[in-house]
Amino acid sequence: MNIPSSILTMLAGIALTLASIWYGQNHGLMPVEASRDAELIDGLFNTMMTIGTAIFLLVEGVLLVCLVKFRRRPGDTSDGPPIEGNISLEIVWTAIPVVIVLVLGVYSFDVYNSMGGFDPEAAQDPSAVQVAMLPGDSEVMPLIEGASHPMGHQHLALGIGASPETAGKPADLTVNVLGLQYAWIFTYPDLGITAGELHVPVNKDVRLLLKAQDVIHAFWLPEFRLKQDVMPGSLQSELRFTPTRAGEYPIICAELCGPYHGAMASKLYVHTPEEYETWLQSQVANRPDQVQTIASTSDPNVNYLAPFSQQLNQQWGIDRALEHLHSQVHSQAQVHSQAQVHSQAQVHAQMDRSMELTADHSNLQQLIAHPAA
Amino acid sequence: MTQTEIPSSISTAHHGGTERKWWHYFTFNEDHKVIGVQYLVTAFFFYLIGGLMAAVIRTELATPASDFVSPETYNGLLTLHGTIMIFLWVVPAGAGLANYLIPLMIGARDMAFPKLNAMAFWMIPPAGITLALSLLVGEAPQAGWTSYPPLSLMTGKVGEGIWIFSLLVLGTSSILGAINFLVTILKMRVPSMPTNKMPLFCWSMMATALLILIGTPVLAGALILLAFDLLVGTAFFNPMGGGDPIVYQHMFWFYSHPAVYIMVLPLFGAISEILPVHARKPVFGYQAIAYSSLAIAFLGCIVWAHHMFTSGTPAWLRMFFMIATMVIAVPTGIKVFGWLATIWGGKLSLNSAMLFAMGFVAVFVIGGITGVMLASVPFDIHVHDTYFVVAHLHYVLFGGSVFGLYAAIYHWFPKITGRLVNETWGRIHFILTFIGMNLTFMPMHQLGLQGMNRRIALYDPKFTSLNELATIGSYLLAVSTIPFLINAIWSWAKGPKADGNPWNALTLEWQTSSPPAIENFEVLPVLTSGPYDYGLEEEEVGLPTAQAGSATLSSSPGA
């Protein structure tokens, strides 16, 4: 015990730093990274883990030393030294957290920006709308094509939009997502496909437009580190991401949505271009005749028949969603039969209502677009 | 539960001929000490009920399938577990400590408004029992303790109605209590006690009371509007009628985030009391710890939307709430480092109170670290509504509040009952609780990061092993309350008698008899120095019979 305590402290500090840095990189707590967003967030998380581990080791270390070194010896009834404070020490342990917080704040801001959190189209900031309306500003003008959001005023940031690199460009693939107790339904408006599972090509810019039928759901892709509440009513939310890794990933509802909330799950398939093409073909081949006919008709009737077509698509989507739910229930043998019956009945009931609403809504839209009609 | 044990201990009170009878504890009594015990015992009773619900939840989650209770019952259980633990255990238990301790600590004979005080307490049992019984009659609320519309409007009118009613009553009780604490602290201190000589517990209760007064009325507003939507068919929050469910979330969290600080600040105060006494050292940085409570209260009011990063909040607002939330780490860090510096170099008596107080620091810091992580918007987007959040909140509310409450109960048990606890059983209780707590909640961090969402009865089988671990931990936690209960009941009845100041502490509550006489002090004490001046006057402290260290008692002619 001839080692001076300052050297011991220094050695402990070095050990603590090394341990923190090592654990921050090697915690292995996150699932695989399937997008660039996931890599960014994991980098942020690793940094926070490093700092967090250091603080954890420091606090627990001090507690353990106290527990061993400063415990009262039997028979000792004296008091400890009357130290009431130390201004410089207090300044240090106030300033260090301030610096940590500032660094993490700036880092988080940067990651959030790179993910597309500030995309005005997703954010629907009132200010952004005003900017977009400035005449002659051709760079910002396209943003007003948010008129593809049919739902009136949306001044809330609902989700993650285009990253700064893809801002202003249309996404490679847009999919409408409908959440309802207890299923997800995916509609590809450009392709006329409706499915109970989400299929996307790898390395393409994918944009999901999300709405809920009944209660609040949350669309969560753990491997993409993306989550967004899906609201019933007039609010539409958005998630935009580029999958970088082909594979099969869970889609989870993260917001309590009823007794069978745990059963509300689906799959995201990220395909290679060839696989994706094959899947597309199979979808077109499977598509019910009427829908295909309507969708492929290119005369003015398309507009007129659009609500009907949408309705059929929806109807078909229900079957697909149910099929999915069904297979999931069977394959995992997780829900007992009562739950299964219940959720199916629910889905059916909700769907009936959904179709009425959809039809009403489409009619309304038509009326607004062509008041004379 | 243990009220019947009271007469034997209370009969040792030797003041003025009036003695505390056991049945006083079942009546509308205006003595703050009776009310404090009523709060604590009632709250602990609900803790056992809420804990039983947690055990059922964990049993359901021991297997991936939904096979133990029906999914509806499961959602009822998780809703009631959250609601009971928050509104019927931690919040009222904190109020119980405040009731018992504030007048004693500031040298007052009672609270400022004794009748109001009793009224606030007696609102709790009916509201709590109604809420708990809703499960037995099969009408439990099922929308989670957050009760977000429109789900909460669709899961059964009776259960949701009961939930709203109970919370309104409990909220009112909380507001009445807070008014009392604030006025008592500000107006009833002995003349010789300026604010900067107040015990730190009073500082933290002042911050808590302010938060309750700012936040709770907003929750009440949200609940009343929700009740209109539920019962009358209005559409304040119901999107089917054009309402906005996000407005409810704002109003709900405007109370319910500060509620976290309402639940933990009283225990911050208690820890600041307990550590110096058992470390025999002055608290390190009194001013910093005192003012950091107020800083936490202020910041706690402007961070609520960090619960809504994945719902509808504008991007710039997310950034504001992120920074505001992270900044709370600074005053919290000041407290934690202050506590560590307090015990560093001290002479630590490792009794049950001290072990729980040090355990508090050890586990709370984990909740604090994950709290800063959760504040970061991009990371929160991934883990919001997952088991990572469940782990975080239990490290704060179990590791923080419950450890703090146990520390406080062990520390002030001799004062309240006039008897000492059995330290061996107390240490066993601590060890079981510490292991059980970490075994239950540590694996949940990984579960959440890996992709397990919260509030589900049915989960992906790949999460089974970690869930089994958590379930075993929760059973250990359940078992850990047994040594506590036996110890508390037995010691209250038969434990060795404690004198007025068994810990040789300096704050005023220890300068009177144990249990204190009905009006606390025969003569009002006069303060001659600060509450934590350990080691400053060696000749006085250290004597087991010392009346006081430096807070001496003398006759106060003006009293």
Side-chain angles (χ1 to χ4, degrees), chain A residues 153-266:
Chain A
H153 80 98
Q154 294 181 337
H155 297 315
L156 296 171
L158 286 174
I160 299 295
S163 61
E165 300 93 80
T166 53
K169 293 178 205 152
D172 297 327
L173 173 67
T174 300
V175 183
N176 292 323
V177 182
L178 181 72
L180 75 169
Q181 288 172 324
Y182 300 95
W184 297 104
I185 293 168
F186 304 96
T187 316
Y188 296 65
D190 302 334
L191 305 165
I193 295 171
T194 303
E197 292 162 334
L198 181 57
H199 296 256
V200 299
V202 72
N203 291 327
K204 293 283 181 194
D205 184 15
V206 179
R207 183 179 183 218
L208 305 179
L209 299 175
L210 309 112
K211 296 204 65 173
Q213 188 62 65
D214 33 41
V215 296
I216 303 172
H217 301 279
F219 188 88
W220 182 28
L221 300 171
E223 280 75 9
F224 296 74
R225 318 284 189 268
L226 283 180
K227 184 184 292 114
Q228 176 56 43
D229 278 13
V230 185
M231 309 297 292
S234 59
L235 288 168
Q236 177 177 255
S237 36
E238 169 176 352
L239 283 176
R240 193 159 163 177
F241 60 96
T242 305
T244 51
R245 187 176 176 279
E248 180 190 323
Y249 306 102
I251 297 173
I252 298 167
C253 173
E255 181 71 51
L256 177 64
C257 63
Y260 302 97
H261 168 50
M264 181 164 171
S266 185

Side-chain angles (χ1 to χ4, degrees), chain A residues 133-139 141:
Chain A
M133 283 175 176
L134 286 174
D137 192 340
S138 59
E139 273 197 19
M141 273 305 277

Side-chain angles (χ1 to χ4, degrees), chain B residues 16-44:
Chain B
T18 8
E19 286 181 358
R20 198 49 79 207
K21 298 276 190 286
W22 65 268
W23 48 266
H24 286 156
Y25 289 84
F26 294 90
T27 59
F28 191 87
N29 195 297
E30 295 170 19
D31 181 349
H32 73 97
K33 297 185 292 302
V34 174
I35 297 171
V37 173
Q38 285 173 329
Y39 264 109
L40 284 168
V41 173
T42 310
F44 199 84

Side-chain angles (χ1 to χ4, degrees), chain B residues 400-483:
Chain B
S401 304
V402 180
F403 271 54
L405 280 166
Y406 276 133
I409 290 170
Y410 281 113
H411 181 71
W412 281 290
F413 192 88
K415 179 51 59 186
I416 296 173
T417 64
R419 289 171 187 270
L420 298 171
V421 288
N422 181 312
E423 293 294 345
T424 309
W425 281 106
R427 290 194 184 101
I428 292 172
H429 174 216
F430 169 74
I431 290 165
L432 289 178
T433 311
F434 190 83
I435 297 172
M437 190 266 161
N438 285 298
L439 197 57
T440 310
F441 301 116
M442 189 62 87
M444 293 184 183
H445 291 111
Q446 192 177 353
L447 283 173
L449 291 168
Q450 290 283 333
M452 182 165 164
N453 45 341
R454 63 191 287 203
R455 295 172 172 156
I456 52 171
L458 173 80
Y459 59 85
D460 192 315
K462 72 182 172 194
F463 299 128
T464 310
S465 51
L466 285 173
N467 271 292
E468 283 168 348
L469 218 57
T471 300
I472 294 168
S474 73
Y475 293 159
L476 193 59
L477 272 186
V479 170
S480 77
T481 50
I482 295 171

Side-chain angles (χ1 to χ4, degrees), chain A residues 29 31 44-45 60 70 72 76 78-80 84 108 112 157 220 227-229 252-255 258 261 334 336, chain B residues 66 75 280 285 310-311 313 318-319 346-349 362 376 379 381-382 384-385 449-451 453 458 533 535:
Chain A
L29 292 170
L44 173 64
F45 178 64
E60 308 298 340
F70 299 121
R72 175 186 297 277
D76 183 359
S78 62
D79 283 352
E84 292 188 303
S108 301
Y112 189 59
W220 182 28
K227 184 184 292 114
Q228 176 56 43
D229 278 13
I252 298 167
C253 173
E255 181 71 51
H261 168 50
Q334 286 174 337
H336 46 74
Chain B
S66 167
N75 282 10
R280 310 309 304 166
T310 66
S311 55
T313 39
R318 294 181 184 193
M319 293 302 115
K347 310 246 168 140
L348 277 57
S349 310
S376 166
F379 176 67
I381 287 175
H382 175 50
H384 178 70
D385 265 324
L449 291 168
Q450 290 283 333
N453 45 341
L458 173 80
D533 292 346

Side-chain angles (χ1 to χ4, degrees), chain B residues 475-498:
Chain B
Y475 293 159
L476 193 59
L477 272 186
V479 170
S480 77
T481 50
I482 295 171
F484 170 75
L485 276 175
I486 295 174
N487 193 1
I489 294 172
W490 187 87
S491 301
W492 203 332
K494 296 245 157 53
K497 291 259 163 52

Side-chain angles (χ1 to χ4, degrees), chain B residues 87-124:
Chain B
F87 292 99
L88 289 159
W89 159 232
V90 181
V91 171
L97 282 181
N99 256 301
Y100 199 95
L101 295 173
I102 288 174
L104 284 166
M105 282 180 165
I106 61 172
R109 295 198 189 277
D110 206 320
M111 299 283 279
F113 311 112
K115 275 206 178 61
L116 196 71
N117 200 16
M119 211 166 88
F121 166 73
W122 281 104
M123 291 175 139
I124 292 175

Side-chain angles (χ1 to χ4, degrees), chain B residues 385-407:
Chain B
D385 265 324
T386 70
Y387 263 85
F388 189 86
V389 175
V390 178
H392 160 74
L393 76 92
H394 283 97
Y395 266 90
V396 173
L397 290 181
F398 197 105
S401 304
V402 180
F403 271 54
L405 280 166
Y406 276 133

